[in-house]
Amino acid sequence: MAAPVRGMIGSTSIGNTTSFQKKTRSKLVSIPGTRPSVQNGQLLVSSGVSSLDYVIGGGLAVGTLLLVEEDHYDSYSRMLLKYFLAEGVVCGHELFLASARDHPDDIMQELPSPIVDDVAGMKISEGQSQPSDPENPDTMKIAWRYQNQPKVQTALASSVRFGHYYDVSKTMEPELRQAAKCHSFYQLQETPVVTASSPLPSPYHSLLKSIQTVIRKEGFDGSTPQSKVRNVLRLGLHSLGSVLWGDDVCCKDNPAHCHALTTFLYILRGLLRTSLSVAMVTVPSHLTQNRAVMGRIIRLSDTAIALESFKGSEKETNPLYKDYHGLLHVRQLPRLNCLSCEVPDTKDLAFKLKRKQFTIERLHLPPDLSETTVSP
Amino acid sequence: MFPELNSILNSTPDSFKSSDFILVSDRRADASFLIHHHLSFYLRAGCKVCFLGLVQSFSHYSAVGQRLGVSLAQAREKGQLVFLEGLKNSIGVILQEDTSQETQPLSYLRTPGAGLEGLFRFVESSVRQSGDGDAGESWGPPVLLIDDLSVLLSLGVSVGAILDFTLYCKATVCSELQGNMVILVRCEEEDADDDEEGSNLLQRGLVHQCNLALHVEGLPTGYCRDIHGQMEVWWRQEGETICNRRKIFHFKVHDKGASFFARGTSSAVL
């Protein structure tokens, strides 16, 4: 099976076998950790998991919202949130973390440590020529020009420089973590503000106000003059809609605040569209009894995925799924500034969390039916 | 503007039916490409367009419009297009408690129970042309485009209030001013125990009011990469014919347009 084309597009930036440097007078801002989309020129950031970047069309577009429907024990969705924040630390983006259950500092301390050797190793190996070594069985004798190319993988991966790999068994060094600017919002420590005129309940209202203050103060919406380098703000909002946020959409059939979360997401969308920020929101959708509300929440976000882990369900012993930890459903992909959107090959995806990689793979091949079929 | 869709609906920018209420709906699919088609269609036809963009920013429509050959920024400057920026202005309404005159159309955000009168007043003032315009340009019949009406349900407005609003708009735009209306509504799955305030109720109410309904859904046989979905076109017949016309097409959305074909004739299959 050939490596996907998308993986090769990014590799031209790392496998620079020529000294040709394209002279770009690009009007796009060059912010570290971002790249323009191949499809429609949108500015993309990595979600921290390169397989996920591939599945959602190259990365998360700046100004959009990624919705993650949590799995039952909130283990893998929390992991994705940590990958997202860790990627922000490594790329030098600013972070905003809001949670109601665990203190944001606790989540920050659990961030996985980046595998820096991987990136450095690949760079070093390109510079040197590889002499054929009889003791080293890995050195290629005949196809030596391909020595430095990445091995073909069945896992979906994009360029290494854009995204990074993390070692889940180690936590990030405190120095690296503290180098990143992080704003936090811990719901249980906020004083409730009584806003009788707003249709939003107090926790959501204060969270939105806090986000807006950070965006304004740090100049992500272009309001302050550009004295410093432009940067991207990553917002991580954990477990919105759960009871701890003062919302009863997850515990009642007919909630009193059934429009609170949807109004919140609508205003958040407005804030994201008018600033250089990207948000990842996790929602415990398995607790909502009303499927219509979940449908509206998905429509109000741009990219939406759902995680279904096998732990504790009968699928755990199913031989079909023995290599994987769960299924990944792509609920929605955005159409940003263009008519068409990234259409995936197949929607049957499964994920597994290894120590050094969160891999997302196809469960089985789709039917061989396309406009450009290769004749056998 | 999609040429194939024009031939299906038998309309061109030079000759199209007036006093038309077109309902675009979808179920678990995305029918917003049809809104882009209608926007570029009516701008090309030289009509005065009032666009309520409640879910996307102006730059999004502008970027797509550029690919379809119309310049929204230019149309807005000339006065042909009146655009309501729902997303940007709603931040001010909710967070700053802004009660100035400009945010009157979005008053439903503050008091969802009160209805959509502010929004209707905005629409009314936009579509009624002043007799002696500033530039002396007179545009064609007014057109109201709404993307998307079902987001108001997410913000707490009741189905009854939205149906009242569309009825008022239809009376003003279609009957009085001989203009057209295109509304996008997004629905969820048909549920056996549907809640009272669902979007399905809204869609059924609007189908009852409209003249032409375009319904976009996924393929009933499952996901396919080369056929993005099926579109059902339903015409309300006036006159002697009793039965209503209904046709189903498959479509595929490209970068610069969409192609429509009869069921089973996709180039992937043939």
Side-chain angles (χ1 to χ4, degrees):
Chain A
M1 192 166 81
V5 175
R6 201 163 291 280
M8 286 307 184
I9 290 174
S11 68
T12 50
S13 59
I14 41 160
N16 266 334
T17 43
T18 69
S19 58
F20 171 71
Q21 293 288 333
K22 193 165 96 171
K23 195 160 64 171
T24 46
R25 241 187 342 111
S26 59
K27 285 177 254 172
L28 290 170
V29 284
S30 64
I31 305 173
T34 65
R35 70 167 180 196
S37 155
V38 188
Q39 220 201 357
N40 52 12
Q42 284 290 120
L43 197 63
L44 299 177
V45 296
S46 169
S47 60
V49 179
S50 42
S51 305
L52 184 61
D53 286 340
Y54 177 76
V55 165
I56 57 180
L60 288 171
V62 172
T64 63
L65 171 65
L66 168 68
L67 180 84
V68 177
E69 292 185 38
E70 293 174 6
D71 50 309
H72 278 254
Y73 300 102
D74 190 25
S75 38
Y76 298 105
S77 43
R78 197 188 159 95
M79 199 65 233
L80 283 184
L81 189 66
K82 287 192 275 190
Y83 272 119
F84 179 73
L85 296 168
E87 183 70 25
V89 172
V90 171
C91 294
H93 300 156
E94 266 189 57
L95 306 176
F96 181 101
L97 177 56
S99 86
R101 194 174 65 205
D102 308 304
H103 199 281
D105 291 343
D106 295 339
I107 300 180
M108 285 301 288
Q109 267 154 22
E110 289 173 19
L111 292 188
S113 129
I115 304 174
V116 195
D117 313 320
D118 206 9
V119 180
M122 292 204 77
K123 281 194 190 152
I124 292 169
S125 66
E126 276 133 33
Q128 300 164 352
S129 56
Q130 290 275 345
S132 64
D133 196 353
E135 283 113 43
N136 188 352
D138 279 344
T139 342
M140 297 184 193
K141 291 207 180 83
I142 298 172
W144 52 273
R145 280 210 185 273
Y146 296 98
Q147 179 75 45
N148 298 331
Q149 295 297 323
K151 290 206 176 67
V152 171
Q153 300 164 316
T154 52
L156 315 165
S158 60
S159 157
V160 173
R161 194 181 286 169
F162 173 65
H164 298 87
Y165 290 99
Y166 299 89
D167 189 344
V168 179
S169 56
K170 294 188 262 192
T171 54
M172 196 183 267
E173 309 281 312
E175 301 90 47
L176 186 58
R177 204 184 341 123
Q178 270 137 24
K181 205 161 170 190
C182 179
H183 309 268
S184 61
F185 181 97
Y186 187 39
Q187 158 55 14
L188 296 179
Q189 279 173 357
E190 296 286 318
T191 49
V193 174
V194 178
T195 45
S197 54
S198 166
L200 274 180
S202 165
Y204 287 147
H205 191 98
S206 345
L207 177 56
L208 281 173
K209 268 248 179 258
S210 171
I211 294 174
Q212 192 190 35
T213 318
V214 168
I215 288 178
R216 282 233 181 107
K217 203 163 57 123
E218 308 289 332
F220 288 106
D221 56 352
S223 55
T224 54
Q226 289 308 304
S227 51
K228 45 186 184 153
V229 180
R230 290 239 230 153
N231 207 350
V232 168
L233 175 67
R234 286 186 184 234
L235 299 153
L237 310 178
H238 183 247
S239 236
L240 282 185
S242 73
V243 209
L244 293 168
W245 285 102
D247 196 358
D248 54 359
V249 73
C250 281
C251 56
K252 282 202 198 147
D253 217 359
N254 286 323
H257 299 128
C258 49
H259 304 292
L261 184 54
T262 44
T263 314
F264 172 86
L265 288 175
Y266 184 75
I267 306 294
L268 180 64
R269 192 185 173 115
L271 283 171
L272 291 174
R273 291 283 198 271
T274 51
S275 62
L276 277 179
S277 43
V278 61
M280 177 187 219
V281 172
T282 67
V283 171
S285 65
H286 51 95
L287 296 176
T288 50
Q289 280 140 19
N290 193 347
R291 288 312 298 176
V293 170
M294 260 336 284
R296 285 187 203 155
I297 290 172
I298 289 173
R299 272 200 222 104
L300 282 168
S301 38
D302 297 295
T303 319
I305 62 173
L307 293 172
E308 184 192 334
S309 89
F310 296 146
K311 231 187 284 185
S313 76
E314 67 265 11
K315 289 182 181 159
E316 204 170 0
T317 48
N318 192 331
L320 176 65
Y321 301 132
K322 68 172 159 54
D323 291 329
Y324 302 105
H325 290 141
L327 296 177
L328 182 108
H329 306 281
V330 178
R331 300 263 194 242
Q332 182 174 265
L333 289 172
R335 289 167 195 233
L336 301 160
N337 295 340
C338 65
L339 271 176
S340 57
C341 74
E342 177 66 27
V343 181
D345 262 341
T346 169
K347 286 189 153 189
D348 299 307
L349 299 167
F351 67 85
K352 60 181 164 205
L353 175 61
K354 298 192 287 214
R355 188 169 65 95
K356 292 202 175 180
Q357 214 179 6
F358 186 101
T359 349
I360 299 172
E361 288 175 11
R362 283 193 277 245
L363 268 183
H364 42 259
L365 292 172
D368 187 20
L369 184 78
S370 81
E371 285 176 339
T372 54
T373 32
V374 178
S375 55
Chain B
M1 191 176 77
F2 310 149
E4 284 172 21
L5 187 57
N6 283 345
S7 57
I8 290 174
L9 298 178
N10 246 340
S11 60
T12 62
D14 305 316
S15 70
F16 54 87
K17 211 167 132 223
S18 62
S19 307
D20 221 4
F21 178 176
I22 300 173
L23 175 72
V24 178
S25 57
D26 62 32
R27 175 160 286 123
R28 307 193 84 200
D30 192 353
S32 48
F33 67 99
L34 291 173
I35 287 285
H36 294 297
H37 155 83
H38 282 109
L39 180 59
S40 56
F41 180 94
Y42 287 114
L43 282 178
R44 277 227 187 118
C47 299
K48 176 137 201 239
V49 177
C50 172
F51 194 120
L52 305 183
L54 302 174
V55 286
Q56 298 279 13
S57 57
F58 180 74
S59 47
H60 169 86
Y61 298 107
S62 185
V64 182
Q66 210 120 29
R67 286 176 203 234
L68 295 178
V70 288
S71 167
L72 263 72
Q74 226 174 29
R76 191 157 71 160
E77 259 169 60
K78 285 192 293 188
Q80 188 188 9
L81 171 68
V82 177
F83 190 91
L84 174 70
E85 278 255 34
L87 278 179
K88 213 163 65 164
N89 299 341
S90 42
I91 305 172
V93 174
I94 293 246
L95 292 183
Q96 264 94 271
E97 325 285 339
D98 197 357
T99 50
S100 64
Q101 192 57 34
E102 290 105 49
T103 60
Q104 272 305 99
L106 302 174
S107 57
Y108 56 85
L109 283 168
R110 273 190 296 273
T111 48
L116 298 170
E117 188 179 339
L119 195 59
F120 171 67
R121 295 273 167 240
F122 174 82
V123 168
E124 200 187 1
S125 60
S126 317
V127 296
R128 285 192 201 282
Q129 296 178 144
S130 46
D132 29 276
D134 310 330
E137 303 221 42
S138 73
W139 305 108
V143 175
L144 171 65
L145 280 159
I146 306 184
D147 176 21
D148 94 61
L149 203 55
S150 44
V151 77
L152 296 175
L153 289 171
S154 305
L155 297 171
V157 187
S158 69
V159 176
I162 301 179
L163 287 173
D164 286 342
F165 166 75
T166 51
L167 212 51
Y168 269 81
C169 289
K170 184 176 175 191
T172 314
V173 177
C174 296
S175 311
E176 197 185 320
L177 299 170
Q178 308 288 311
N180 288 6
M181 258 168 67
V182 182
I183 296 188
L184 171 65
V185 172
R186 310 193 66 183
C187 317
E188 286 100 37
E189 285 285 350
E190 282 281 1
D191 244 339
D193 46 331
D194 207 356
D195 56 334
E196 288 304 307
E197 297 292 303
S199 48
N200 290 315
L201 197 63
L202 175 64
Q203 194 234 359
R204 284 200 287 267
L206 287 175
V207 164
H208 184 77
Q209 291 179 8
C210 72
N211 298 107
L212 169 66
L214 302 169
H215 185 68
V216 171
E217 259 183 341
L219 292 176
T221 45
Y223 174 72
C224 173
R225 196 198 164 121
D226 291 302
I227 305 174
H228 293 168
Q230 75 177 24
M231 181 181 76
E232 180 188 316
V233 186
W234 178 86
W235 285 271
R236 180 189 298 278
Q237 296 285 47
E238 281 124 36
E240 280 100 48
T241 48
I242 301 174
C243 55
N244 297 314
R245 269 168 47 206
R246 183 174 163 268
K247 277 194 190 167
I248 296 184
F249 295 92
H250 285 176
F251 66 88
K252 178 174 177 163
V253 180
H254 312 296
D255 209 23
K256 286 199 190 273
S259 55
F260 296 84
F261 35 86
R263 280 183 287 182
T265 59
S266 158
S267 47
V269 174
L270 291 176

